[in-house]
Structure formats: C-alpha cells, structure tokens
Amino acid sequence: MEHLHQSFTVQYNYNVFFTSALFSPENELLNSFLLNLNPAVTVKKILFVIDEGVANAHVGLVAEIKAYFSRYDKTQLIQDVLIIPGGEQVKNDTRYFDQVLDAINIHGIDRHSFVAAIGGGAVLDMVGYAATVAHRGIKHIRIPSTVLSQNDSGVGVKNGINYFNKKNFLGTFSPPVAVFNDELFLSTLSDRDWRSGIAEAIKVALIKDAEFFEWLEANAAALAARDIEAMNYQIWKCAKLHLEHIRSADPFENGSARPLDFGHWSAHKLEYLTNFEVRHGEAVAMGIALDSVYSNLSGRISAEEAQRVINLIQQLGFELTHPLLQVTEGNSPILQGLEEFREHLGGQLTITLLTGIGSGEEVHEIDAEILKQAAEILNNQTATIQH
C-alpha cells in the first residue's frame, strides 16, 4: 500500500552563562540576552518563579529584580513574582504546578514570553515542565541556586514532576533557552547543600574524565572548606562534561542507556524510602559507593580504584550508606528500585558500572548476592575493599 513518510530535524541551542550578581544594575548580561533573542518581538514579558528558600535567604531579591527591569522598556516584568516552596515537595504536590500554570494564564504569558525560575533542581524541574506544556512550549530560563542544579540538573534538557510515588513519572525533554549560574546564590547554602551537589561531579568524573577525578581528589579539602574558586571550577567542569554528553549521545533518551545516571538507580529509590529526608546528592553519593564496590566485587575495577572512590566520598563529608540500602532478602525495598529504573528507561534494564576511573560499561542485570556483599562492606566502613 502507498504511504507517506515524514522526517525532520529540530536544532536546539542554548548557552550556560557564568556570572556574579546577575541582577546588579551594572550587570547587563540578562537584559542583553533577552533583547537579542528574537529581536523582532518589540516587547516581551517575563514571569519569575522563585524558590521560597532562595527568597528567604536573599531578602532583597524580588526588589532587586524589579529595580533591574525598571531600567529597561523592552522587557515587561510581571510584577506579581510567584514564590513557591523548594525541595522535592514542589514536585510531589501538583498544586504548585497548577499555580505556575495559573500565573502563565492570568498574565498572558505567550510563546514569545519567558518563564524564569530561580531555585534548586526541584523547582527548575517543575517550572520547566509547566512552561513546556503551556501553549505547547513557552521559553523557560533557568537560574540555578544550588551546587547540584548549577553543575548538573539545571544545565540539562529534562523537566518533570513526581507522580504515582515515582520520581519524574511526568516530564518532558525541553531545553531552556538559557541558564544563568550566579555564584552569589551559593554563598547562603548550608554546608549540607553545598556538599550535596559535588556528588554529581564525582559521578561524571568517574564515567567520563579520570583527570577530573584526580582534580577532585586533590581539591577535596578545599571544596569541603567552601573555597569558592574551587567550587566555581568544579561547577564549570561538571557542566561542561554534562553538556558534551548531551550533545554527543542521546539527549532525549530514546535508548535504554543513561550513563549520566551512574549511581542513581538506588539513589532515586532511597530518596522515596526516606521521604526525601536524604538529599538527592547524598543519595547519589551512597549510590556511587554501592555501584563502585559492586564494580570491584564483580571483577570490573581493582580494590585500589574502589577504595579511591570511597576515600573521596568520605573526604567530602558524605555518608557511605544507609540502613535502607542493605540487601537482607530477595524482596529488600531497595531492589524494587531496579525494576522502577528499568521501567523509567522504557526498556531493558541498563545500569552503568565502572571499568576504571573515568570509564564505564553498560550491564543488563545485577546479581543480588554481590549487591548484598557490597552493601555489607559499606555498612562496615572499616572493612577492607575486597580483592
């Protein structure tokens, strides 16, 4: 029978900017970007959605934003700045998603306008999802406020909310039109949140860049001591590696492999099992430790390499494991994370394990007995990594 065939390619372009004091009157970076993006549109609207934790930590932020845009007449700031809670609750409760859609509707935000989100990764995920589904796609701008969102989630192409008690069950692949990393937002982070995002740097270094892993080892003390120069380099390098992966691999995850989710299969489940009392980065650090020891026990990396990973995680101040990561029997709660991970990938279970510092391979099954041994080793932090 006759049939019609269609094929086309959509090109995506966006910049990740690194700056300080984004809303200072002297800093014209944001205004210049808005003017140069689709200059044929004479007046554009911009709606800001701000993480409540950021607004509380930076008391004058809303006033600064309003003063910044009062200087320019080509971008109309929506004066009703929306403040929403931060953290995973904003992705668990759909009322916050509805609030963003309501604001987009009430203020007439169209496809030539912008929704700008300031906050941690959870806020960026939710706001990006709302912007993407409204009018089939409103331009969204990300202004990450945490280490985790500046070096990882904020620079990627994914948006989403949690549903059916499953992380990111609803979501889209839709890149932002720009990301603005402002170092000043990092100054008010708690030590816990400062540290949390570094787990993603360990992850990307382990699977992609041995030299970067060595840099993390050499600078672990500086990072733990909140050295801003070390942190800025860590964020820049980590963002660069993530962007390179997105460009060269499978940005919309049409396949079943997600190497950037090394250490994440157990981390996602642990977050839910603890009702998100364990932060994402903390869970990822534990997941990296678990999969690194598993990589050793399954003959993929040496005991020395596994120990280097453990040492770095500990030097940065992370816990190595959690009681809920122990595998005591075949139906241990954490093992359910494997099936949920497979389902989320949309096909065959594909887990990345290490073959060396800076390299990995995809496997399609996990041996529960070896996983149990790995969990037990981490539970006894004085135990020697097995040869």
Side-chain angles (χ1 to χ4, degrees):
M1 294 180 65
E2 291 186 2
H3 71 281
L4 300 173
H5 174 74
Q6 175 66 283
S7 177
F8 61 89
T9 300
V10 178
Q11 183 173 352
Y12 291 93
N13 296 283
Y14 63 98
N15 291 317
V16 178
F17 298 101
F18 299 86
T19 188
S20 182
L22 180 63
F23 299 108
S24 168
E26 293 76 29
N27 190 340
E28 295 195 1
L29 176 63
L30 178 56
N31 179 60
S32 296
F33 169 79
L34 294 172
L35 288 180
N36 292 327
L37 193 68
N38 197 358
V41 179
T42 54
V43 178
K44 306 162 186 176
K45 296 179 183 178
I46 185 167
L47 168 70
F48 274 85
V49 183
I50 303 178
D51 185 319
E52 185 176 36
V54 177
N56 290 339
H58 300 264
V59 178
L61 179 59
V62 172
E64 289 176 16
I65 292 172
K66 291 182 177 181
Y68 184 87
F69 282 96
S70 69
R71 295 161 52 91
Y72 309 109
D73 60 1
K74 298 297 183 182
T75 304
Q76 178 187 338
L77 172 69
I78 301 303
Q79 295 294 309
D80 185 12
V81 175
L82 182 59
I83 309 292
I84 57 174
E88 208 67 18
Q89 63 177 319
V90 84
K91 295 175 64 174
N92 288 333
D93 191 334
T94 56
R95 63 176 165 164
Y96 303 117
F97 170 73
D98 291 338
Q99 283 181 15
V100 177
L101 291 180
D102 285 343
I104 289 171
N105 178 51
I106 290 169
H107 297 292
I109 305 299
D110 57 34
R111 296 181 65 168
H112 294 299
S113 302
F114 303 90
V115 176
I118 304 176
V123 167
L124 302 184
D125 279 356
M126 186 278 288
V127 175
Y129 179 51
T132 301
V133 297
H135 297 303
R136 298 196 179 108
I138 293 171
K139 298 178 181 67
H140 67 284
I141 293 171
R142 295 179 184 157
I143 306 174
S145 64
T146 64
V147 174
L148 182 64
S149 54
Q150 288 196 5
N151 70 4
D152 181 16
S153 60
V155 303
V157 300
K158 295 186 284 190
N159 312 280
I161 59 174
N162 306 327
Y163 213 73
F164 297 132
N165 290 322
K166 294 180 180 178
K167 193 172 177 72
N168 299 320
F169 185 85
L170 296 179
T172 59
F173 294 101
S174 178
V177 293
V179 181
F180 295 88
N181 280 343
D182 184 344
E183 68 174 16
L184 288 190
F185 286 122
L186 307 182
S187 65
T188 58
L189 294 177
S190 67
D191 288 344
R192 190 178 178 188
D193 286 326
W194 172 280
R195 179 191 312 115
S196 185
I198 306 174
E200 297 289 353
I202 301 172
K203 171 207 72 179
V204 75
L206 280 171
I207 62 174
K208 287 189 172 291
D209 194 322
E211 185 177 336
F212 184 38
F213 186 83
E214 293 170 0
W215 183 91
L216 289 170
E217 289 179 308
N219 289 273
L223 289 167
R226 300 186 66 127
D227 182 285
I228 190 61
E229 290 187 14
M231 180 57 79
N232 281 341
Y233 177 78
Q234 181 270 137
I235 287 172
W236 177 87
K237 181 66 174 181
C238 198
K240 182 175 184 289
L241 289 171
H242 277 84
L243 290 173
E244 287 174 353
H245 174 84
I246 291 168
R247 182 191 68 236
S248 62
D250 181 16
F252 287 6
E253 296 175 3
N254 292 313
S256 293
R258 289 199 337 199
L260 287 183
D261 273 352
F262 170 65
H264 280 57
W265 73 265
S266 59
H268 285 170
K269 188 63 179 177
L270 180 61
E271 287 178 83
Y272 263 105
L273 291 173
T274 63
N275 196 29
F276 298 95
E277 290 180 7
V278 174
R279 303 271 212 284
H280 178 71
E282 295 166 341
V284 168
M286 296 178 199
I288 289 171
L290 183 63
D291 286 355
S292 296
V293 176
Y294 185 100
S295 296
N296 165 241
L297 295 177
S298 59
R300 291 175 168 86
I301 63 173
S302 69
E304 179 186 2
E305 288 170 318
Q307 192 65 58
R308 286 175 65 189
V309 178
I310 299 306
N311 290 345
L312 177 58
I313 290 171
Q314 290 183 308
Q315 285 176 328
L316 290 167
F318 289 109
E319 298 291 334
L320 289 179
T321 190
H322 188 280
L324 290 171
L325 286 179
Q326 299 307 301
V327 181
T328 55
E329 54 189 49
N331 62 349
S332 291
I334 199 62
L335 290 177
Q336 298 170 15
L338 286 170
E339 173 57 23
E340 292 177 8
F341 200 69
R342 183 209 63 75
E343 179 184 317
H344 191 62
L345 293 174
Q348 185 179 30
L349 175 67
T350 304
I351 301 288
T352 298
L353 294 176
L354 298 180
T355 56
I357 301 295
S359 62
E361 68 174 1
E362 297 167 8
V363 302
H364 303 296
E365 59 182 29
I366 294 292
D367 186 308
E369 185 57 36
I370 296 178
L371 191 67
K372 179 181 179 180
Q373 294 176 39
E376 288 173 348
I377 287 172
L378 290 170
N379 197 44
N380 179 9
Q381 295 184 20
T382 62
T384 301
I385 301 297
Q386 299 297 301
H387 290 273

